[in-house]
Amino acid sequence: MQEGLIPRRYAKALYKFAQEHDATRTVYDKMLILEQQFESQPALQEVMDNPYVSSDDKIKLLSTAAAIGDNETILSNFFKLLRENKRFEMARAIAIAYRSLFRIENNIHQVHVTSAAPLEPQEEKRLKDVIERHLNGGSMEYSDSVDPELIGGFVVKIDNKVLDASISNELKQLRIKLLSNN
């Protein structure tokens, strides 16, 4: 419980500070880069957890991972705060919490579409239009992937809600009905 609460508090403080400096979007973009680095480089978390790595080296590593330039003081100062409070191990969780808070504050939804085959541009546009109407004025961060095991159709995930319109799901539902009738 504490591990989720503390990162959210840090994220909220960072968000308010970035808001005062009209930099919430910039920090959001940097937190996305940082989160992607943690995901693609698991050793990054190991370094943050390692007490034998110097705090200055951890700050340099986080700054490099987040692609922070010399004139970007908000995150540089934030990383120094993590050093002062000995919270480097929570850097990834804070990045995730910040991005979540930003999306909530700005009515941005994460949308992921998985289809059995690549969607034609017209189909994708039509699907995006339907999703946008469903979001009631909110915007979306859209991503997609292909999974041939769906056989046909698609699966739309909006935040934590899932609409499964795939043929494999239809076959699964049919199988369940047939088995329950025996």
Side-chain angles (χ1 to χ4, degrees):
M1 183 78 169
Q2 288 272 344
E3 214 167 290
L5 179 64
I6 294 171
R8 279 195 307 271
R9 285 183 177 166
Y10 275 84
K12 195 178 234 181
L14 177 59
Y15 185 83
K16 286 182 180 181
F17 187 71
Q19 205 170 30
E20 291 169 5
H21 292 84
D22 198 28
T24 56
R25 183 62 193 212
T26 302
V27 172
Y28 176 79
D29 293 339
K30 295 300 180 178
M31 288 302 201
L32 171 62
I33 294 168
L34 184 61
E35 184 182 339
Q36 289 170 339
Q37 290 297 326
F38 271 106
E39 189 174 317
S40 67
Q41 303 293 328
L44 183 56
Q45 185 64 49
E46 292 173 20
V47 171
M48 293 300 119
D49 294 339
N50 189 334
Y52 298 107
V53 176
S54 76
S55 295
D56 289 341
D57 286 344
K58 289 179 182 181
I59 288 174
K60 288 177 190 171
L61 189 56
L62 286 174
S63 297
T64 301
I68 295 173
D70 293 335
N71 60 349
E72 296 179 75
T73 58
I74 292 173
L75 278 176
S76 296
N77 289 339
F78 183 72
F79 294 152
K80 290 174 186 171
L81 177 69
L82 294 181
R83 173 181 58 200
E84 289 172 27
N85 296 332
K86 297 178 176 34
R87 297 291 190 190
F88 282 117
E89 74 281 356
M90 294 186 173
R92 181 179 188 184
I94 293 168
I96 292 168
Y98 182 91
R99 293 189 63 238
S100 177
L101 177 62
F102 181 89
R103 285 193 302 269
I104 289 167
E105 291 291 322
N106 293 282
N107 198 19
I108 300 170
H109 302 273
Q110 287 183 301
V111 175
H112 184 80
V113 174
T114 306
S115 57
L119 295 174
E120 294 294 324
Q122 274 186 321
E123 293 173 322
E124 187 174 40
K125 183 182 178 339
R126 200 169 72 224
L127 184 58
K128 283 181 179 179
D129 290 344
V130 169
I131 293 169
E132 281 180 353
R133 283 194 302 273
H134 176 73
L135 298 178
N136 295 324
S139 60
M140 69 174 143
E141 289 181 349
Y142 180 86
S143 62
D144 62 354
S145 61
V146 174
D147 181 1
E149 290 186 20
L150 294 179
I151 303 171
F154 55 85
V155 177
V156 178
K157 183 177 179 188
I158 302 173
D159 298 325
N160 293 326
K161 298 174 190 167
V162 178
L163 167 68
D164 192 339
S166 65
I167 292 176
S168 65
N169 184 54
E170 294 295 323
L171 291 172
K172 184 172 126 183
Q173 298 302 319
L174 181 61
R175 182 174 184 259
I176 290 171
K177 281 183 184 178
L178 289 171
L179 290 174
S180 67
N181 288 334
N182 286 337

